[in-house]
Amino acid sequence: MKRFLSGDEALAEGVRLARPNIISAYPITPQTVVVEHLSEMVEQGRLDAEYVHVESEHSALSCALGASATGARTFTATSSQGLLYMAEVLSYAAGGRFPIVMMNANRALALPWNIYGDQRDSLALLDHGWIQLYVQDNQEALDAVLMAYALAEDERVSTPVMINLDGFALTHTYETVDIPEPEQADSFLPPYRTKNKFDFEHPVNIGYSAGPEFNRYYKHAAHWDMVDALPVIDEVEKRFAEVFGREYPGVLEEYRCADADRIIVTLGSVAGLVRQVVDDLRNAGEKVGMVRLRYMRPFPAERLVKALLGVGAVGGSSEASGEASGDDNADDGARSKAPAARSIAVLEKDISFGAEGTVFTNVSSALLQAITCAPSASACGIRDICNFVGGLGGDDISYEQVEGIFALLKRRASIVEDPNAALVDASAEASNAASGAAKAAAHTSPLDPRKKVYFLGIDSLEEGGAR
Amino acid sequence: MKQTENLSAALPPTNPAAPLPPKPLTAKTLPDDEFFFGHKGCAGCGGALVVRQTLKVLGPHVICALPAGCMSAVGFNFPQLSFANNAMITPFAATASVLSGIEAGLRAQGIKPEDCTVVGFAGDGGTADIGLQALSGAIDRNDDILYICYDNEAYMNTGIQKSSLTPFGAKTTTTPAGAHVHGCLTRKKNMFQIVAAHDIPYAATASIGYLNDFIKKVQKAATIHGTRYIHVIAPCPTGWGTREDETIDLAKEVADCGLWYLAEFEGSQLCGMPGGKYIVNRRPKEFSSVEAYLRRQGRFKQLDENDVQEVIRERDIAWAWLDDLATGAK
Ligand SMILES: Cc1ncc(C[n+]2csc(CCOP(=O)(O)OP(=O)(O)O)c2C)c(N)n1
Ligand code: SF4
Ligand SMILES: [Mg+2]
């Protein structure tokens, strides 16, 4: 059945189809519509779940924790300050291996107070052991709920999942969404079965303390089970496509990357805009592409590296890199298409103050490791990589800005390729240390290859432009 | 490795349909079954007695949840897991909300045995300070849970710091006693009054020194539906500066000298009276010496005559209030 739904509404429909036993959530803009809709569904009898009216986000997730320990399927939803307020409980849920599914409406963090979308809330909490998925549109929001439960509850994974929707850009924007039939959903997602729960015949102690001599085993298992969830994501999506006829590209989506000399790596709803710019520039003969990260945890390092280094880029296989590079033909095919060198921009709605965007850090780390360990495995070199921070506090990321990023990458590339340019720059600085103004000018020049982090709407993407 | 089977193999098989023992239990007739043993609590720990005796009353189908605090710290040390019944640790602030989740989860799946009580054991800090919001939320929803506060009058697990249930004059590591200040300057927050103000179905105060009274209240609470709250005074030799063989004696004396009272509140739902009903279970004709009670504890060593008079004054105000409520309800 096709309906015109907001992201929040589409997600709530997904939750209804997943039939959770327990919903415990606390309202916060822009997630509110989700909890309102779920309450309505429960009242109307369309959803046979217990809605617990908790008094805070901390209690929302704690309640889900207790319910999950009884073997119940549980759902919660939050955003921004609410996510931070429940942060303590995130590690309990992940550490206890409770497959809770949560929706997070990505929203800015105070101060200054701001209710609009950016991704600092969830990206600040990457390290708490939750699988993190970023969706691009409302259909994906609905479908993600069903796949999230399938993934979280898979015995090999047993890890909670956070589904992130850009605040307002998705939560409050209407699109046509195909709502599956309940029977279809049931055939895809069977009831939750687990051994990780209370048992009246053989009582258990759940969630205890483990000192230095044992702790590492739990953390080791949590890490590798999360890494090993990567192929499970593909399995789940394959099964999803069989039942519902909709295909998803796995942990990341490669868009027109194979022969691209410039690629924007991004995540969430802004991917729609980047895709449009890529198409338009392609029509104008420019070789540009996009990688949309769907999962930030587990981090899809292997597939990302393949996409960015041009190895086996066509088809976006998520097989182990050993297999791919063992296949000479596939490799050669990619090599012949890949450019000699390529520039990468990471576009994200996040900044880790004093460092750089968190997605940029993750992408850079994956690339550094790949290039260090096996330089010859690359089909192309990376000549430049930089970070664009935009959309903070709901700021619009415009078509022109995305176009500007691709244009800037091109101009920077010509500088990077001219060794004298960099040399002149460095020696000028050394010989004229007193000239603070010159130094500042060099650092604010968008063409300075040392400049890595650009704030969209503040930093000029044009040489000579105002800062 | 995601969870650990514990020592329950040694337990006799249980009958899920078994009704509660028909007769009121006493210290003499409490079952021999042990559900909390092998823990690392100090000798003479009052809190450990609260947990142990409660579980004996509630039987094998209990599910308990414990937040950060001494009882979880001494009871959940992998691989030495000390609960023979289902049990879990909770975030410090989340005793009540985890209990709500457990209860809702069981009910939503239709798997809650008739004789299953979902019970939490939280310290004074976990109850009156950081966990108060979640407790208030659970009472507001009237979730079917039993919440037991074992009150040792300070944050013991972190090394004896002041909580809002630390009494006036007590020395803790954050209310040190010196020439200028003689320990804790605030009065004990009245949790009994706070939960009663929610019109909770059932609330009680108790002392592990008066075991029969405590057992009776746990047994009564187990038969009532909705949120139930029992606040038990549970001396802590380590934090109070007392000998480990004095615990029971102190728990009696605190009620005898009137600094603690044994009372019940039945909510309007239960007793049918608007505003509910207060019952005083034990009204000493004459209070024993407050000074004697204070002087035997290291934490009150520094109190001078004025301080003791202040404690006595506060006691009399508290009793006037309680007597008023209890007689007003008759
Ligand atoms: C969120 C959080 N804050 C602080 C702590 C540290 N902490 C652990 S136990 C505890 C004191 C517990 O006191 P109480 O509830 O009275 O129980 P007791 O230890 O006295 O039995 C504190 C402060 C924690 N574990 N979690
Ligand atoms: S410090 Fe006190 S409350 Fe904690 S285990 Fe020891 S006696 Fe019990
Ligand atoms: Mg305490």
Side-chain angles (χ1 to χ4, degrees), chain A residues 88, chain B residues 68-71 92 123-126 130 150 152 154-158:
Chain A
E88 183 201 10
Chain B
C70 269
M71 289 309 105
F92 194 20
D124 44 292
I130 199 167
Y150 66 93
N152 51 27
Y155 294 132
M156 294 310 176
N157 185 47
T158 36

Side-chain angles (χ1 to χ4, degrees), chain A residues 193-215:
Chain A
R193 295 271 172 270
T194 180
K195 295 193 200 87
N196 185 23
K197 63 173 180 180
F198 297 127
D199 182 337
F200 290 106
E201 291 307 314
H202 307 284
V204 288
N205 288 196
I206 292 178
Y208 31 77
S209 36
E213 67 276 48
F214 297 109
N215 210 275

Side-chain angles (χ1 to χ4, degrees), chain A residues 178-416:
Chain A
D178 185 17
I179 306 177
E181 293 305 314
E183 300 72 39
Q184 254 182 320
D186 290 347
S187 73
F188 171 74
L189 185 66
Y192 174 40
R193 295 271 172 270
T194 180
K195 295 193 200 87
N196 185 23
K197 63 173 180 180
F198 297 127
D199 182 337
F200 290 106
E201 291 307 314
H202 307 284
V204 288
N205 288 196
I206 292 178
Y208 31 77
S209 36
E213 67 276 48
F214 297 109
N215 210 275
R216 62 184 178 278
Y217 295 106
Y218 291 89
K219 300 304 130 193
H220 180 262
H223 171 65
W224 287 111
D225 288 354
M226 173 95 89
V227 171
D228 292 343
L230 286 165
V232 184
I233 291 169
D234 291 333
E235 274 176 42
V236 167
E237 288 182 5
K238 189 159 167 273
R239 227 162 38 73
F240 188 88
E242 282 162 15
V243 175
F244 301 96
R246 270 191 298 281
E247 289 188 18
Y248 284 94
V251 284
L252 58 76
E253 175 192 355
E254 290 171 49
Y255 190 69
R256 309 187 83 164
C257 286
D259 64 340
D261 57 27
R262 283 159 289 156
I263 294 176
I264 289 181
V265 179
T266 194
L267 69 172
S269 59
V270 76
L273 175 66
V274 176
R275 193 187 321 270
Q276 192 191 333
V277 175
V278 166
D279 286 344
D280 293 349
L281 290 178
R282 282 273 173 181
N283 287 341
E286 305 230 20
K287 294 190 166 178
V288 294
M290 173 185 76
V291 170
R292 173 168 77 98
L293 292 167
R294 293 184 68 236
Y295 285 81
M296 275 302 292
R297 290 291 180 274
F299 191 68
E302 261 183 38
R303 270 195 64 188
L304 180 72
V305 161
K306 279 183 195 173
L308 297 185
L309 295 184
V311 185
V314 188
S317 154
S318 66
E319 301 300 304
S321 59
E323 286 171 43
S325 50
D327 183 347
D328 288 337
N329 290 337
D331 234 9
D332 286 344
R335 268 174 220 275
S336 63
K337 289 177 90 183
R342 139 188 297 177
S343 302
I344 310 291
V346 176
L347 171 60
E348 60 187 300
K349 300 176 180 177
D350 174 63
I351 176 71
S352 178
F353 304 106
E356 57 204 14
T358 295
V359 182
F360 183 64
T361 305
N362 281 261
V363 171
S364 302
S365 165
L367 277 175
L368 175 67
Q369 291 168 54
I371 292 167
T372 313
C373 299
S376 61
S378 315
C380 65
I382 302 293
R383 74 157 71 89
D384 189 15
I385 174 162
C386 49
N387 190 195
F388 295 85
V389 175
L392 295 184
D395 192 17
D396 202 28
I397 297 178
S398 69
Y399 184 97
E400 289 70 29
Q401 283 172 337
V402 177
E403 230 180 10
I405 292 171
F406 279 126
L408 178 61
L409 286 183
K410 194 182 207 171
R411 279 181 284 120
R412 278 174 61 109
S414 62
I415 303 265
V416 176

Side-chain angles (χ1 to χ4, degrees), chain B residues 49-135:
Chain B
L49 289 176
V50 171
V51 176
R52 177 169 170 237
Q53 312 296 16
T54 304
L55 293 177
K56 279 172 177 275
V57 176
L58 297 177
H61 284 162
V62 74
I63 296 186
C64 64
L66 297 92
C70 269
M71 289 309 105
S72 64
V74 305
F76 278 126
N77 291 289
F78 181 81
Q80 196 173 330
L81 303 173
S82 308
F83 289 90
N85 50 270
N86 287 305
M88 90 185 270
I89 230 168
T90 81
F92 194 20
T95 318
S97 41
V98 169
L99 292 176
S100 296
I102 294 172
E103 200 281 327
L106 294 176
R107 195 158 28 82
Q109 296 174 91
I111 55 171
K112 187 177 174 189
E114 191 69 14
D115 63 344
C116 168
T117 304
V118 179
V119 60
F121 297 99
D124 44 292
T127 300
D129 293 335
I130 199 167
L132 185 56
Q133 173 178 302
L135 174 60

Side-chain angles (χ1 to χ4, degrees), chain A residues 109-166:
Chain A
L109 297 172
L111 282 169
W113 189 257
N114 183 305
I115 60 165
Y116 301 105
D118 70 33
Q119 295 161 338
R120 289 199 293 123
D121 52 1
S122 53
L123 289 173
L125 296 169
L126 276 180
D127 298 343
H128 283 49
W130 283 58
I131 291 173
Q132 280 201 14
L133 165 67
Y134 291 78
V135 304
Q136 156 186 255
D137 56 41
N138 297 352
Q139 183 70 58
E140 191 177 348
L142 186 155
D143 295 346
V145 179
L146 293 168
M147 286 188 274
Y149 278 110
L151 178 65
E153 294 172 1
D154 188 300
E155 214 179 4
R156 296 165 291 177
V157 178
S158 301
T159 299
V161 176
M162 185 190 301
I163 304 170
N164 291 286
L165 271 71
D166 280 308

Side-chain angles (χ1 to χ4, degrees), chain B residues 16-39:
Chain B
L20 279 172
K23 271 206 202 148
L25 288 169
T26 66
K28 289 201 174 105
T29 57
L30 260 190
D32 290 337
D33 303 339
E34 296 293 348
F35 297 101
F36 185 52
F37 52 91
H39 59 75

